[in-house]
Amino acid sequence: MNAIAPTTPSVVARRIVPCLDVRDGQVVKGVRFRDHRIMGDIIELAARYRDEGADELVFYDITASPEGRSVDLEWIRRVSETIDIPFCVAGGIRSIQDAEHVLHQGADKISINTPALERPQLINELVQVFGSQCVVVGVDSIQDGQGYSVRSHTGTPDNMRTPGRGAMDWLREVAERGAGEVVLNCMSSDGTRAGFDIVQLAAARAVLSIPLVASGGAGSVEHFIAVFEQADVDAALAATVFHSGQITIPALKQSLAAAGIEVRPC
């Protein structure tokens, strides 16, 4: 009788995810969620990242929730016609109908943040209709005393609110409600290019069994290596360093592979 060879566990490749903050039809970027400046055209940047080998894209309509409106469907349709890699859309998704409209325009995932904090049951409802794989929850978190707390309405800083939820407790609840993935935006690091908040991300990793995406602070290739090695995140999201060309995705992936971190080829 032939012996059965032991199986080797498959290694899940870490993902590199450019983030495109959208305001008034343009891609913008700020520092710690303030002082946004125009970085380029939505479609041109999406096509560039497709060609460079991004694993997926995330688009945030950053003023949709603060302005109480739905995300603009026209640019979602145009993006879906331009790229053939997965992309996620966030901004003003408050209902099954809102999510359905976004997904029908070609998005692969929808992400909710402020609407989930206002009505957590929305997570359950979206998961029940579309499945966990489509539902991402964004969490904007900041150090508050000895721990971390979440913020809502972060697209317009003057309207930012403190819902009174501890970040780690909220992460646990999000996972329990069936979300398929969390994007943790570490607000104190956002746009600073000083490095990901490894301590906070490692704390989040310890309470989450679902995929975790690191966001906020990427400034060098070493920062990406550190967040994968030290916080064990599933994906790293960045904006400024990619938009500016300071870091190119092919060079980043080459450096990650050289460091022993599994990535998809460009």
Side-chain angles (χ1 to χ4, degrees):
M1 186 176 179
N2 294 329
I4 298 175
T7 58
T8 302
S10 59
V11 177
V12 177
R14 310 299 174 120
R15 289 172 284 142
I16 301 301
V17 185
C19 173
L20 296 87
D21 290 342
V22 178
R23 186 181 67 186
D24 300 327
Q26 294 285 332
V27 176
V28 300
K29 191 67 187 82
V31 176
R32 293 180 177 137
F33 290 52
R34 294 180 179 273
D35 303 322
H36 291 90
R37 63 188 187 280
I38 294 174
M39 304 300 293
D41 176 76
I42 300 172
I43 305 304
E44 289 177 3
L45 281 172
R48 184 182 116 195
Y49 292 134
R50 171 204 62 201
D51 295 342
E52 287 187 359
D55 295 302
E56 60 187 81
L57 301 179
V58 173
F59 295 86
Y60 286 101
D61 188 328
I62 61 173
T63 56
S65 283
E67 293 175 359
R69 60 173 175 80
S70 299
V71 64
D72 182 357
L73 298 177
E74 173 60 22
W75 62 256
I76 299 173
R77 180 188 60 77
R78 292 173 60 211
V79 167
S80 71
E81 292 173 349
T82 302
I83 65 175
D84 56 1
I85 59 174
F87 71 98
C88 178
V89 172
I93 298 171
R94 298 180 181 80
S95 67
I96 298 296
Q97 185 178 46
D98 289 340
E100 193 170 56
H101 289 162
V102 170
L103 293 170
H104 281 178
Q105 292 302 319
D108 300 275
K109 303 176 185 177
I110 51 94
S111 180
I112 54 175
N113 187 331
T114 293
L117 285 163
E118 293 177 333
R119 193 170 71 85
Q121 182 63 25
L122 177 61
I123 302 170
N124 303 70
E125 294 170 2
L126 292 170
V127 169
Q128 184 174 6
V129 174
F130 303 109
S132 291
Q133 77 284 351
C134 281
V135 181
V136 179
V137 175
V139 178
D140 294 327
S141 173
I142 195 165
Q143 188 161 11
D144 188 5
Q146 298 301 309
Y148 304 95
S149 62
V150 300
R151 298 292 186 270
S152 66
H153 300 81
T154 53
T156 51
D158 291 340
N159 294 329
M160 193 181 303
R161 301 176 191 174
T162 304
R165 284 182 174 269
M168 300 304 140
D169 289 339
W170 177 232
L171 290 174
R172 290 187 188 93
E173 181 175 342
V174 162
E176 290 169 358
R177 290 181 176 275
E181 184 168 270
V182 165
V183 176
L184 181 57
N185 305 307
C186 302
M187 294 181 64
S188 296
S189 301
D190 180 75
T192 64
R193 292 189 255 187
F196 292 97
D197 187 339
I198 301 293
V199 173
Q200 183 175 179
L201 289 161
R205 175 77 288 165
V207 304
L208 285 176
S209 58
I210 61 175
L212 171 63
V213 182
S215 174
S220 70
V221 168
E222 290 73 25
H223 293 155
F224 285 90
I225 293 172
V227 78
F228 286 125
E229 290 184 340
Q230 299 175 34
D232 193 28
V233 298
D234 298 272
L237 180 151
T240 305
V241 292
F242 293 146
H243 298 338
S244 66
Q246 178 184 340
I247 297 176
T248 66
I249 293 172
L252 173 58
K253 286 192 170 184
Q254 185 176 22
S255 295
L256 290 171
I261 297 167
E262 185 78 14
V263 290
R264 298 183 181 94
C266 291

